[in-house]
Amino acid sequence: KGAAGAPFEAKDASAWDLDDCKGWMAEASKSIAGGWFDAQNSGAVRPGQTGRAGQAAAPPAVPKGTRDELEGRLVEHTLRIAEYLESQTGGGGGGGPSSSGPPPLRR
């Protein structure tokens, strides 16, 4: 399942709350992991990549693993980012709102 119909798609990014951000990051993680998995299995050069004298460049270095492993690693990073954001905005995870930063995100 893709991001089609996800709640954050109906809003401008400036109106997103923390849950919308987490949803977007999870969908992005799936898409990135899929691209990495496809790239490691095809060895294809991405469009627009060229090396010297117009020759195709080497395929980009991508992490190794199954699609699920790659997605799992990215989702783990997404959760860490979300925990940090929540701690900084007072949305959970311990700390209160940052006194010098932007106001807390609406939940």
Side-chain angles (χ1 to χ4, degrees):
K1 176 184 158 190
F8 58 82
E9 285 192 338
K11 303 178 191 176
D12 286 334
S14 62
W16 286 3
D17 60 17
L18 191 55
D19 288 333
D20 293 327
C21 293
K22 288 192 280 189
W24 179 83
M25 288 190 299
E27 289 298 325
S29 295
K30 291 176 187 176
S31 177
I32 292 166
W36 283 349
F37 182 75
D38 294 344
Q40 79 181 7
N41 289 319
S42 71
V45 176
R46 292 183 182 158
Q49 280 188 312
T50 57
R52 286 191 221 147
Q55 295 180 12
V62 295
K64 301 289 184 212
T66 66
R67 185 181 303 262
D68 287 340
E69 290 169 341
L70 295 170
E71 186 177 324
R73 282 185 242 155
L74 288 174
V75 168
E76 182 179 338
H77 292 300
T78 294
L79 293 174
R80 283 190 194 140
I81 292 168
E83 286 175 11
Y84 175 77
L85 291 173
E86 287 174 347
S87 74
Q88 295 299 304
T89 61
S98 171
S99 59
S100 62
L105 295 174
R106 189 181 84 242
R107 275 196 137 328

